[in-house]
Amino acid sequence: MNTDAVRSTPTPSTPSPTTMTVWRQSRYGGPDVLAETLVDRPVPSPDEVVVEVAASSLNSADIRILRGDPLLVRLAFGLRRPRTPVPGRDVAGTVVAIGDAVTSRRVGDRVVGEISGGGLGECVAASADRFASVPDGLDLATAATLPLAGGTAWQALDLGGVGEGSRVLVVGAGGGVGTFAVRLAVLRGADVDALCSAAALDVVAELGATRVRDRRATDLADETPDSYDAVIDIAGSAPLRVLRRLVRPGGAVVLVSGGTNRVFGPLGRILRAAVLSIGARRRLRSLVAVAKPEITAQLVALAASGDLQPPVERTFRRADARAALAHVDTGRTVGKIVVTA
Ligand SMILES: NC(=O)c1ccc[n+]([C@@H]2O[C@H](COP(=O)([O-])OP(=O)(O)OC[C@H]3O[C@@H](n4cnc5c(N)ncnc54)[C@H](OP(=O)(O)O)[C@@H]3O)[C@@H](O)[C@H]2O)c1
């Protein structure tokens, strides 16, 4: 794929059929490092499709990659600048070209998937098997909210063994992953308590949680021990021992985030969790979520049926992509932020 071939100066002119505009970063930094840039339209390699992007949803992962923060991110994504310089990992749109070896897709298919980036551009090329189909009854802006945050929440609930009748606490329930964790746990038949910021209380209550409280007005050290089968920690600020005493013996704390070290990020907390879990009856399990199109497909089915209606705090136009990323950068998102063409 050659989406990254810069065709001209960073000032976009009227795109021709062979060019398109993308928001592209040439170094790590805040949203201001993005420039709207004219590049060649991608040509699919044999196993790829080209998707015309209708919508992309933003995640805190986009901010970490944009900023290269923690520094460990740069080892994985590129030392001086990200190898995929156009942010936007959640992509929903229409297939406009297919590679020679692709048999699973046709031009005109509506698809959604988590890819390595490119959602903040007109078109993106990615492996065909990264995408799930979107039925006509589901709008592409809603579909775009699903893959990364929904997939992470799904995998967190799996790791915590959450199912029918489970008692679950979601700490940090107000953001993208948090709102999906609450709703998906409710749909699994769990009894869900949630802690979130004051601004998110009403939104989280509407997702079906049994009890919703202000995270900053609640001291987890005061909670009754052994109260839950699983704790899903997305806020990442409570001490591990405090979280662990909340689950019953045999239960699990799933660590979705945590650790503010500028260089190593969550690695220290992950290591401490592993050490504390040696021989323990209450496990601390660190989540490393990966893109799973088969989970995206199940999320699409739930959204199409109306059971899953992801809360969207705000929708930005692609022309305002920097403002959209700046909003996510505040860390105060309630639900999801969507960017549409
Ligand atoms: N382990 C993995 O594989 C994995 C995968 C994806 C994401 N993550 C992590 O999950 C976390 C959430 O990701 P996301 O994409 O859902 O982020 P997001 O949509 O930007 O959510 C923002 C999060 O920040 C919290 N928040 C709200 N107001 C805040 C404030 N004033 N100060 C500090 N925090 C505040 C929110 O919780 P409340 O409103 O509930 O307070 C919410 O959990 C991130 O730390 C991300 O790195 C981990």
Side-chain angles (χ1 to χ4, degrees):
M1 92 185 190
N2 65 350
T3 45
D4 305 336
V6 180
R7 179 88 171 203
S8 70
T9 63
T11 307
S13 59
T14 308
S16 77
T18 58
T19 60
M20 64 174 187
T21 53
V22 298
W23 285 97
R24 182 185 165 97
Q25 68 181 117
S26 52
R27 60 188 167 88
Y28 286 114
D32 286 350
V33 302
L34 286 172
E36 205 171 17
T37 309
L38 197 64
V39 300
D40 286 338
R41 275 186 177 255
V43 175
S45 55
D47 66 340
E48 288 183 332
V49 292
V50 175
V51 174
E52 187 173 70
V53 181
S56 178
S57 86
L58 300 178
N59 298 277
S60 74
D62 291 299
I63 296 297
R64 290 186 195 283
I65 298 166
L66 181 74
R67 290 189 172 279
D69 181 14
L71 291 175
L72 194 66
V73 162
R74 302 185 188 200
L75 267 187
F77 290 90
L79 286 182
R80 296 168 67 88
R81 64 185 77 87
R83 276 185 287 276
T84 305
V86 182
R89 300 172 74 80
D90 278 334
V91 168
T94 305
V95 174
V96 292
I98 56 174
D100 293 343
V102 175
T103 55
S104 58
R105 294 282 167 213
R106 291 177 176 204
V107 168
D109 281 359
R110 302 167 84 239
V111 294
V112 62
E114 180 187 341
I115 58 176
S116 59
L120 296 185
E122 286 181 57
C123 289
V124 66
S127 179
D129 61 15
R130 302 296 292 266
F131 294 98
S133 298
V134 180
D136 286 340
L138 183 65
D139 67 281
L140 290 167
T142 301
T145 65
L146 303 172
L148 200 156
T152 300
W154 188 292
Q155 290 170 67
L157 298 177
D158 284 351
L159 197 57
V162 174
E164 181 77 38
S166 299
R167 288 220 60 210
V168 182
L169 174 67
V170 179
V171 184
V177 176
T179 48
F180 274 106
V182 170
R183 184 63 194 156
L184 292 173
V186 168
L187 290 175
R188 287 183 186 202
D191 182 51
V192 183
D193 283 1
L195 297 180
C196 60
S197 53
L201 288 169
D202 290 345
V203 167
V204 174
E206 278 181 24
L207 299 170
T210 307
R211 193 156 71 124
V212 185
R213 288 174 290 162
D214 184 343
R215 180 157 67 82
R216 285 171 193 81
T218 307
D219 188 348
L220 288 175
D222 295 338
E223 303 285 295
T224 310
D226 299 351
S227 294
Y228 299 100
D229 300 301
V231 172
I232 311 294
D233 180 37
I234 300 152
S237 50
L240 294 177
R241 288 179 191 281
V242 168
L243 291 171
R244 190 171 64 172
R245 67 185 275 285
L246 297 177
V247 294
R248 60 161 176 79
V253 177
V254 178
L255 304 170
V256 178
S257 46
T260 52
N261 185 281
R262 173 85 179 90
V263 179
F264 296 111
L267 272 191
R269 191 164 160 101
I270 290 171
L271 209 59
R272 280 198 303 283
V275 171
L276 281 171
S277 291
I278 295 170
R281 295 173 68 209
R282 298 169 176 83
R283 289 155 300 147
L284 294 161
R285 310 190 73 170
S286 297
L287 176 72
V288 181
V290 292
K292 294 197 173 177
E294 65 276 18
I295 293 179
T296 303
Q298 297 190 67
L299 292 164
V300 165
L302 288 171
S305 74
D307 283 338
L308 182 61
Q309 295 178 316
V312 173
E313 181 184 356
R314 207 165 147 191
T315 300
F316 292 81
R317 300 308 301 263
R318 193 185 298 135
D320 300 318
R322 280 191 293 223
L325 280 161
H327 186 90
V328 178
D329 199 17
T330 65
R332 292 184 168 81
T333 303
V334 176
K336 292 292 297 173
I337 295 298
V338 174
V339 177
T340 57

